[in-house]
Amino acid sequence: MYFKSKFIADDVGLSPKEIGALMVKLRDSATELTIEKWSYTSATTWRVETA
């Protein structure tokens, strides 16, 4: 699954920067997921998949 931080931020009332910080924490702690920064065009895109 791919998603942009700015769209998640809009849905949960956080800034895209806050979403990015949370994604980094999740990447470090969620061993069942693979989380990767994918693109920076107009907003950070994250790639998330099961490990």
Side-chain angles (χ1 to χ4, degrees), residues 17-41:
K17 189 173 185 174
E18 290 171 310
I19 295 297
L22 290 171
M23 291 303 295
V24 170
K25 287 181 181 180
L26 185 60
R27 178 180 60 195
D28 294 341
S29 65
T31 57
E32 66 278 358
L33 296 175
T34 301
I35 300 171
E36 177 183 3
K37 276 188 181 179
W38 190 257
S39 171
Y40 294 95
T41 56

Side-chain angles (χ1 to χ4, degrees), residues 4-19:
K4 290 192 178 282
S5 294
K6 69 180 182 180
F7 298 133
I8 298 298
D10 290 343
D11 289 343
V12 297
L14 297 172
S15 73
K17 189 173 185 174
E18 290 171 310
I19 295 297

